[in-house]
Amino acid sequence: MQGLLKKLWSPPVFDLMFGGLGLLCLTMLVLRAGDGFPPIAPAAQPLVKGAAVVGIIVVSGILAIFSTRLDQKLADDFMFHTLSKSAFMGMMGFLFTAILWHIFLAPRLGSLSFFSMVMVAMVVWSFCYLLTRLRGTGA
Amino acid sequence: MRNRLKVLRAERDWSQADLAERVDVSRQAVNAIETGKHDPSLPVAIRIARMFGMHVEEVFLLD
């Protein structure tokens, strides 16, 4: 069982996963970036919506803590370092992409839908992962 | 950080996969350490040095 888990958390599995996922999300992004951006209706119960957002952040945070702990336990330190560095780069890359799009391109090309933004996040993270694998964790 | 992994492995006729199995890391990790693309954590560096019967500073050298 331990051997199987080690194999699942090995570099070739993550290479394949990020390569495939990145390509899939890139394709979806190109195909669906032009989709409509429906307006968000005001909430009937604003406080409930606000509380629900905070609740989902807490639940997601707890999930992230457990999944990160699992990664740290099952991946070797090279893999964990690669994953954590690429996740950090991906997060910064996503923020920069969103800001640059909003400032420079949104006025001319229109805003991106939530779906497109999720695809952007996955593409940026996949790209950062593959870049870290090629250049190493020290680069 | 530089290291003498390649030379030490060659002296013992070990492949990267052999060393990876002995140290309990992936072959890709050994390759990344050997080519200077990744600095190992202290526990991994100690395990590697022990595998060669040496001290950490004899295997890993600061630039």
Side-chain angles (χ1 to χ4, degrees):
Chain A
M1 186 65 184
Q2 192 69 15
L4 177 70
L5 289 174
K6 284 265 178 196
K7 275 195 175 76
L8 280 177
W9 264 261
S10 66
V13 172
F14 280 101
D15 293 352
L16 203 66
M17 190 180 81
F18 278 105
L21 203 65
L23 201 62
L24 179 74
C25 291
L26 187 65
T27 308
M28 296 297 283
L29 190 59
V30 171
L31 292 176
R32 295 196 51 188
D35 284 4
F37 190 94
I40 301 164
Q45 295 170 298
L47 281 179
V48 172
K49 190 171 182 180
V53 169
V54 174
I56 204 78
I57 290 171
V58 172
V59 171
S60 304
I62 291 168
L63 275 175
I65 288 169
F66 278 108
S67 66
T68 307
R69 193 179 291 168
L70 201 63
D71 283 344
Q72 193 163 20
K73 192 178 170 190
L74 294 169
D76 60 26
D77 81 50
F78 164 66
M79 199 62 238
F80 185 69
H81 204 142
T82 303
L83 284 171
S84 50
K85 184 177 177 182
S86 62
F88 182 72
M89 285 165 63
M91 187 178 70
M92 299 308 291
F94 173 71
L95 285 175
F96 290 147
T97 304
I99 292 166
L100 289 175
W101 182 275
H102 186 73
I103 294 173
F104 297 109
L105 296 171
R108 272 181 292 168
L109 299 173
S111 297
L112 290 171
S113 64
F114 171 74
F115 177 84
S116 292
M117 290 314 287
V118 172
M119 294 298 113
V120 167
M122 291 312 299
V123 170
V124 172
W125 190 13
S126 300
F127 176 72
C128 291
Y129 171 85
L130 295 171
L131 195 72
T132 307
R133 278 286 281 123
L134 282 174
R135 298 192 62 199
T137 58
Chain B
M1 193 162 69
R2 289 176 294 125
N3 65 75
R4 297 175 53 216
L5 244 60
K6 196 170 183 176
V7 174
L8 295 169
R9 263 196 321 104
E11 285 172 1
R12 287 156 182 81
D13 201 22
W14 291 350
S15 65
Q16 288 184 343
D18 292 334
L19 179 60
E21 197 179 328
R22 288 164 197 260
V23 183
D24 194 28
V25 294
S26 62
R27 187 199 59 76
Q28 289 81 2
V30 170
N31 181 264
I33 294 167
E34 198 171 289
T35 53
K37 288 181 175 176
H38 173 66
D39 291 335
S41 64
L42 194 55
V44 172
I46 291 172
R47 289 211 300 272
I48 289 173
R50 277 186 184 167
M51 205 48 67
F52 291 123
M54 302 172 102
H55 294 295
V56 173
E57 60 269 31
E58 291 175 294
V59 180
F60 297 96
L61 315 153
L62 280 175
D63 284 323

